[in-house]
Amino acid sequence: MISLQNIHNNFVPVRLEFLSPVHIGSGEMLSPLEYQIFEEQSGQYIVCTIDFDGWINSLTPDEAKAVASKFSLSNQTQIWEYLRNTIDRNVFIKTKSKTNEEIHQKYKVRLKGTNKSENELAPAIRNAYTSAIVIPGSSIKGAIRTAIIDYYDNGRLIQAYLTGANNKEKSRNYEAELKHLFGDIKENAFKQLKVSDFELLPGESEFVQAVQYAKNNPEERLMNPVCEVAPIWAKPKYGKIYLGSFTAHEYAKKPLEDWTFENLCKVCNQFYLKRFNAEYEKFYKLPHFVQARNFIDGIRNKVQTENALLLRIGHYSHVECVTVENAAPKTRPNPKTKKPMPCGTTRTLADGKYPFGWVLLHKCSAEDAEQGKMQEEQARQEIIANLQARKALFLTAKNTEYEAKQKLLSAQRKQEEEQARKAREEALRLQKEQEQKEAEKLARKQAEQAQKEAEEQRLASLSPEERLVELVLLKKAGKEEVLKVYERIDNLDNKIQIAEAIRAFWQKEKIWSGKLKENQKIRVDKITAILRAK
């Protein structure tokens, strides 16, 4: 058995360089409600995921009601547009990644469609605290492990697999040979091969369209989900590898001494460079792979190295780079020929240009690694602090605005309450005044009624002649009644007062002066004579 004996625990500082986009997915998909794509003033297209918790917690009660009302809409496109126009992308974001115009245009068109799953994105695995993309050490270790297994295999794994009578027995034989080669799971040699994670900076990522091209059919293209990658333009990341010592099994024809970084370079580069060149010959010389060929030609000199590990990691690394020699995976049978379908007949390219997954792992000095990590951490903290400062500034301004609004509303409420109080007092005063007026009116009416009744009783107590004279004096008599009193005036005691009343009545009736009948003129002269005698 090959053993990784922990003899000297060789610590090796390393630097990870991205030769092509690397996608290591989180296993989840982003729905269109969880992200937005927009164009910055610089012309760069950006994908940002939304910090819904932070945004919801920042809402005032009135704003929360408005949001709840909007979310009750059945039209998701309206909800997306509302969120797009409402949420401040400079404050309430979890992640921020670059993308391209083509993806942005498809996003806008698909928002209006009915198949919302078309706009789902495949995000990369991230650090939950910093929200930055992480290249797990386990992915790099897995790539190294594949190369080492191929190095020591000498065909024994495929031989063990083929000797099985059925699929179950083949798999059991294969696992038994791996165990024989590298030990039981509890003492497996690779347990002592440790690789640190490599974390990118927040925002140091890109969403690309994964396009699958067929080798033999230039027109055949399959659009895989838009996925998030560690981009080519990302700065190298620093980490470390711990190595123990290998001792080869007795039947291994390629025994090696203590494993060193240099030995790993030889094994990994032998495995991956062979597949890099084979892929170039098989695919990238074809006319419909011209864009990928141009890119590969630009990095071919870099991969011809003896001082760094050439590896292929992450999704879309393709079957040749994840299997040992002559151990192609079992495929489904062809419906017509019943023979297994061929494997490795397609390539998936980022934005139709870049193969996925190629990286170089360089050995570096402890000083360079320490300085690089310090610079990364400083840049990371600056980015995080900048976002937190923007959020704090936004919340402070919003709280200040909210407090000012509350003060204004409070002042308005007090003013309204004061106006309402005054209005109530005025209404009460007017009510009392009206009640007083009505009471006075009623009292007057009652007094007048009492006076009237008293007058009626007094008049009723008089003789007819006295009552007739009284009506004249009270100016309540008619023409006939006045004429009757006039005829009796010589026999009355208070003839002057009665004469004045008769004159007033005839003046009113316009039969006192002017052109009068003879008898009326006689009457006027008589009343005038009585009044002169006074």
Side-chain angles (χ1 to χ4, degrees):
M1 180 188 75
I2 300 170
S3 63
L4 231 85
Q5 301 170 5
N6 194 8
I7 298 174
H8 50 71
N9 277 336
N10 186 21
F11 161 71
V12 181
V14 291
R15 183 181 76 253
L16 181 65
E17 179 184 1
F18 300 99
L19 299 180
S20 70
V22 175
H23 172 58
I24 301 176
S26 66
E28 300 177 349
M29 298 296 286
L30 287 176
S31 76
L33 288 179
E34 297 177 279
Y35 73 90
Q36 294 179 8
I37 303 179
F38 62 95
E39 183 180 4
E40 291 187 327
Q41 290 183 348
S42 63
Q44 176 63 57
Y45 294 95
I46 296 296
V47 177
C48 64
T49 56
I50 307 302
D51 178 14
F52 278 106
D53 291 340
W55 176 60
I56 292 295
N57 290 333
S58 74
L59 298 177
T60 64
D62 291 340
E63 290 172 337
K65 289 180 182 178
V67 170
S69 175
K70 289 292 183 181
F71 271 67
S72 65
L73 298 173
S74 59
N75 189 331
Q76 289 193 22
T77 301
Q78 289 180 317
I79 296 176
W80 292 332
E81 289 298 330
Y82 172 74
L83 294 177
R84 183 181 182 86
N85 297 327
T86 304
I87 298 178
D88 190 329
R89 293 187 292 263
N90 291 317
V91 177
F92 299 109
I93 62 170
K94 288 183 179 178
T95 64
K96 188 176 181 180
S97 307
K98 292 182 179 180
T99 191
N100 57 60
E101 183 179 5
E102 183 178 353
I103 291 175
H104 179 237
Q105 292 301 327
K106 288 180 179 178
Y107 165 79
K108 291 198 299 183
V109 171
R110 288 171 177 172
L111 276 180
K112 301 176 182 178
T114 57
N115 187 2
K116 305 308 179 187
S117 63
E118 288 183 343
N119 269 336
E120 289 186 340
L121 306 184
I125 190 170
R126 294 180 175 276
N127 181 321
Y129 172 68
T130 64
S131 297
I133 283 184
V134 173
I135 304 299
S138 58
S139 296
I140 296 174
K141 179 178 175 178
I144 296 173
R145 184 176 183 270
T146 301
I148 292 176
I149 291 175
D150 180 77
Y151 180 84
Y152 278 106
D153 172 40
N154 292 318
R156 296 185 66 85
L157 288 171
I158 189 62
Q159 182 180 351
Y161 180 82
L162 294 175
T163 56
N166 51 52
N167 289 339
K168 186 175 181 180
E169 187 175 327
K170 288 178 180 180
S171 297
R172 186 165 58 246
N173 291 350
Y174 190 89
E175 293 298 327
E177 184 60 27
L178 275 178
K179 181 178 178 181
H180 181 65
L181 189 59
F182 292 105
D184 185 78
I185 188 69
K186 295 181 180 179
E187 299 176 355
N188 191 283
F190 286 101
K191 289 187 69 175
Q192 294 186 46
L193 173 61
K194 303 182 186 301
V195 185
S196 67
D197 294 340
F198 294 82
E199 182 175 337
L200 282 71
L201 296 177
E204 203 172 32
S205 60
E206 186 172 359
F207 276 92
V208 298
Q209 176 69 64
V211 187
Q212 179 180 293
Y213 292 83
K215 175 179 179 291
N216 298 321
N217 187 353
E219 303 302 322
E220 183 180 333
R221 287 178 175 81
L222 176 63
M223 294 295 178
N224 289 308
V226 172
C227 62
E228 188 176 27
V229 299
I232 304 168
W233 47 265
K235 293 182 179 180
K237 303 303 164 192
Y238 292 88
K240 52 194 174 183
I241 294 180
Y242 290 99
L243 293 174
S245 298
F246 280 96
T247 301
H249 188 274
E250 57 184 2
Y251 67 70
K253 296 181 181 179
K254 301 176 183 178
L256 290 174
E257 298 80 16
D258 289 348
W259 275 87
T260 63
F261 186 81
E262 289 70 24
N263 287 335
L264 282 183
C265 285
K266 292 177 183 178
V267 172
C268 291
N269 293 357
Q270 176 181 315
F271 179 81
Y272 287 104
L273 185 57
K274 178 180 179 180
R275 283 151 178 78
F276 182 94
N277 291 328
E279 184 171 287
Y280 184 88
E281 295 295 327
K282 183 177 179 180
F283 291 95
Y284 303 134
K285 284 190 173 182
L286 297 173
H288 56 295
F289 285 94
V290 62
Q291 289 184 305
R293 178 170 69 250
N294 293 337
F295 171 74
I296 291 294
D297 286 340
I299 64 171
R300 290 189 76 178
N301 289 336
K302 280 192 173 184
V303 302
Q304 308 286 342
T305 179
E306 297 180 356
N307 301 318
L309 273 71
L310 175 64
L311 301 170
R312 197 170 197 183
I313 61 176
H315 202 36
Y316 305 122
S317 292
H318 293 292
V319 61
E320 299 87 351
C321 291
V322 295
T323 56
V324 298
E325 196 75 27
N326 299 320
K330 181 178 175 61
T331 60
R332 60 185 176 85
N334 187 303
K336 295 181 179 179
T337 64
K338 306 302 180 184
K339 294 181 179 180
M341 298 282 284
C343 63
T345 60
T346 62
R347 293 297 92 159
T348 300
L349 305 176
D351 291 334
K353 303 176 185 178
Y354 313 108
F356 283 89
W358 290 109
V359 298
L360 282 175
L361 199 63
H362 301 268
K363 183 178 180 179
C364 63
S365 67
E367 292 77 11
D368 288 344
E370 185 65 23
Q371 184 178 2
K373 293 291 286 184
M374 287 179 61
Q375 291 174 349
E376 288 177 6
E377 186 59 25
Q378 182 179 357
R380 182 175 295 109
Q381 293 304 322
E382 286 178 358
I383 293 171
I384 294 173
N386 186 34
L387 176 59
Q388 291 175 341
R390 290 202 306 269
K391 184 175 292 187
L393 184 63
F394 174 87
L395 294 177
T396 299
K398 186 166 187 177
N399 288 337
T400 302
E401 180 184 355
Y402 179 72
E403 290 174 0
K405 185 176 180 180
Q406 291 302 307
K407 287 182 179 178
L408 179 61
L409 290 174
S410 178
Q412 289 176 344
R413 282 195 296 270
K414 288 182 179 179
Q415 184 179 3
E416 290 170 357
E417 290 172 358
E418 180 65 17
Q419 290 175 346
R421 183 187 65 79
K422 290 181 178 179
R424 289 194 300 271
E425 290 179 353
E426 179 65 13
L428 183 60
R429 185 189 68 78
L430 292 174
Q431 181 181 357
K432 289 181 177 180
E433 186 177 289
Q434 183 65 25
E435 289 175 353
Q436 184 177 355
K437 287 181 179 180
E438 290 178 355
E440 291 175 353
K441 182 178 179 181
L442 179 61
R444 285 195 303 272
K445 188 174 181 180
Q446 290 174 345
E448 290 172 356
Q449 183 65 25
Q451 184 179 359
K452 181 180 179 181
E453 291 175 355
E455 182 65 15
E456 289 177 351
Q457 290 177 0
R458 186 182 70 80
L459 290 174
S461 65
L462 296 177
S463 66
E465 289 185 355
E466 291 174 336
R467 186 163 55 252
L468 186 63
V469 172
E470 192 68 22
L471 288 174
V472 172
L473 292 174
L474 293 175
K475 299 180 181 180
K476 294 181 180 181
K479 287 183 178 181
E480 293 181 0
E481 292 169 330
V482 170
L483 189 58
K484 289 179 180 180
V485 172
Y486 165 78
E487 292 173 350
R488 294 181 178 84
I489 194 169
D490 293 331
N491 301 322
L492 299 177
D493 295 332
N494 53 344
K495 59 176 62 179
I496 294 177
Q497 186 178 2
I498 294 172
E500 289 176 345
I502 291 173
R503 183 182 62 179
F505 178 81
W506 284 347
Q507 285 177 341
K508 179 181 177 184
E509 294 295 320
K510 297 180 179 180
I511 53 175
W512 176 259
S513 60
K515 189 176 180 179
L516 301 175
K517 293 181 179 181
E518 188 63 29
N519 57 351
Q520 180 62 25
K521 184 177 180 183
I522 294 171
R523 294 183 191 123
V524 171
D525 291 341
K526 182 177 181 178
I527 294 299
T528 301
I530 293 172
L531 292 174
R532 285 177 179 171
K534 179 181 66 171

